Amino acid sequence: PHTPSAAEPSVADSSVADSSAAEPSVTDADPRRRSYVEICIDRSGSMQSMGKIPQKQTAELFASQKRIAQEKNLDIRISFTSFDDIATTFIDNTYAHVAWNFVETLDIWLKPRNTTLLIDTILARIAVLRTRVQDYKATLPEDERDTLVTSTLYVLTDGQDNQSVHS
């Protein structure tokens, strides 16, 4: 079986996500204009007081990234991780228009439980983001390596970390 490299889009295996939905469609996006978006949402027990706000804000973020990709002709790749005492990446390096298909599963992926692994999760996802950008630039011809490649990290949390090794 094929294991996607850091530069290829995929949807992480999970009992919720249908990985067959991750097949990219043909797009007119300029492949040299790429943006990597990491979305990390706290699902620890303390987030229960926020109600459906995390799901709503995450859905809005997915929608805005899909719209930006279409309007600005960008290749936007989204990764989505939720965390409590365990970080789980449900969507990994997936085209923005494909990531949108999983909005209906946010209630499951963000159901509050357990403690908070905030700092360790964020550090791990920043490392993934950095590697993705470096790996992508390495695939470009030398004279195009100054191409526009952006990376963005979104975090939604109540800010309390009680599980990370790093602090």
Side-chain angles (χ1 to χ4, degrees):
H2 174 69
T3 303
S5 70
E8 293 179 88
S10 69
V11 174
D13 289 333
S14 109
S15 59
V16 178
D18 174 10
S19 61
S20 66
E23 293 301 316
S25 66
V26 176
T27 176
D28 294 328
D30 180 346
R32 295 169 298 149
R33 297 183 63 212
R34 181 171 292 178
S35 182
Y36 293 97
V37 177
E38 290 282 339
I39 303 169
C40 298
I41 309 295
D42 184 347
R43 69 174 291 173
S44 65
S46 62
M47 294 294 285
Q48 189 165 358
S49 65
M50 295 183 108
K52 297 287 186 184
I53 292 171
Q55 291 88 332
K56 181 180 179 198
Q57 289 183 342
T58 303
E60 288 172 1
L61 184 55
F62 282 6
S64 71
Q65 294 304 305
K66 178 182 176 185
R67 185 176 58 254
I68 290 166
Q70 292 169 339
E71 290 173 0
K72 298 193 182 274
N73 197 31
L74 290 173
D75 178 2
I76 297 179
R77 309 292 176 93
I78 293 180
S79 295
F80 171 77
T81 300
S82 69
F83 61 93
D84 47 20
D85 55 327
I86 299 169
T88 305
T89 299
F90 289 102
I91 299 173
D92 194 25
N93 197 30
T94 301
Y95 294 103
H97 69 276
V98 174
W100 170 253
N101 295 330
F102 295 96
V103 166
E104 296 299 319
T105 61
L106 290 174
D107 282 343
I108 297 166
W109 292 346
L110 294 173
K111 184 177 180 184
R113 62 180 195 189
N114 303 331
T115 57
T116 313
L117 188 67
L118 172 61
I119 295 171
D120 289 354
T121 299
I122 301 310
L123 290 174
R125 298 314 297 171
I126 288 172
V128 168
L129 195 56
R130 180 181 301 147
T131 299
R132 288 229 166 93
V133 170
Q134 290 169 345
D135 288 353
Y136 175 67
K137 283 187 173 187
T139 67
L140 297 172
E142 200 167 320
D143 62 334
E144 291 185 17
R145 290 194 179 155
D146 64 346
T147 191
L148 179 62
V149 180
T150 62
S151 57
T152 306
L153 172 68
Y154 292 97
V155 180
L156 177 61
T157 180
D158 60 7
Q160 183 178 355
D161 185 324
N162 52 19
Q163 194 65 36
S164 291
V165 173
H166 299 91
S167 58

